Amino acid sequence: MPKGTDNKVLAQNRKANHDYTILDTIEAGLVLTGTEIKSVRQARMNLKDGYCSFKNGEAFLVGVHISPFEQGNIFNHDPLRTRKLLLHKKQIQMLEQEVRQAGNTVVPLKVYIKNGVAKLLIGIAKGKKNYDKREALKQKDIKRDVQRELKNYR
């Protein structure tokens, strides 16, 4: 497969923007097995319940489901296994420091192919309260109504 400059989004965590306020984003590499990358390229993954954890100065992706490769054999992977993230040491230290603050977490936002390699966009997020979620939905509805009226006005 030729390496191009395509940034094809394969999976996106749409629930993250609803449940969290994203403070900052970082691009990370993923350590995947052969059958995992084949499933990722077919966009057979779910980021909804995923989060990042840290142990011994390394970052790991937990709770992300990558479906088993259909043409795989006995060497197929476990769908919910913990996967290592490829980040610089200073990035990992910064993320660990942010997570120690109350209410902050690191969540996966989207997976895409960049120059032939699978990349993960992770975000430092702060949880929203229920009233914040309702307010965001209200603002979104108002903005949509205004756009609809402007479209009909022309």
Side-chain angles (χ1 to χ4, degrees), residues 25 57 79 105 112:
T25 59
T105 186
Y112 52 92

Side-chain angles (χ1 to χ4, degrees), residues 12-143:
Q12 195 164 5
N13 190 352
R14 295 169 195 240
K15 196 80 169 151
N17 285 324
H18 178 70
D19 291 339
Y20 302 102
T21 301
I22 307 299
L23 305 175
D24 193 16
T25 59
I26 296 175
E27 183 181 74
L30 283 166
V31 177
L32 300 172
T33 64
T35 56
E36 281 178 329
I37 188 63
K38 289 179 181 188
S39 289
V40 167
R41 287 184 187 276
Q42 292 177 350
R44 296 178 43 100
M45 62 184 309
N46 185 356
L47 299 174
K48 188 169 71 170
D49 297 327
Y51 63 95
C52 295
S53 66
F54 304 96
K55 186 175 183 182
N56 299 330
E58 294 180 334
F60 295 95
L61 184 62
V62 181
V64 171
H65 184 275
I66 298 178
S67 298
F69 187 56
E70 290 177 355
Q71 287 79 33
N73 53 15
I74 60 170
F75 301 110
N76 235 338
H77 62 277
D78 176 29
L80 287 173
R81 81 174 183 92
T82 302
R83 294 162 183 93
K84 186 175 177 182
L85 294 178
L86 301 174
L87 292 164
H88 292 285
K89 187 175 184 178
K90 292 197 183 232
Q91 289 175 325
I92 294 172
Q93 290 170 350
M94 185 266 299
L95 288 172
E96 279 185 293
Q97 184 179 5
E98 289 289 332
V99 168
R100 284 192 194 114
Q101 295 179 7
N104 286 356
T105 186
V106 180
V107 294
L109 300 176
K110 64 174 127 175
V111 174
Y112 52 92
I113 300 291
K114 182 177 180 183
N115 296 330
V117 179
K119 297 286 184 177
L120 174 72
L121 186 69
I122 56 176
I124 301 168
K126 187 170 191 76
K128 284 185 183 177
K129 303 285 186 197
N130 281 336
Y131 57 83
D132 291 334
K133 294 177 190 179
R134 285 192 296 270
E135 183 65 30
L137 287 174
K138 190 186 302 181
Q139 293 298 326
K140 188 176 174 181
D141 288 343
I142 290 170
K143 186 176 178 181

Side-chain angles (χ1 to χ4, degrees), residues 143-153:
K143 186 176 178 181
R144 187 176 341 132
D145 291 341
V146 168
Q147 290 298 325
R148 187 179 300 134
E149 288 297 322
L150 286 175
K151 181 180 175 185
N152 292 336
Y153 183 72

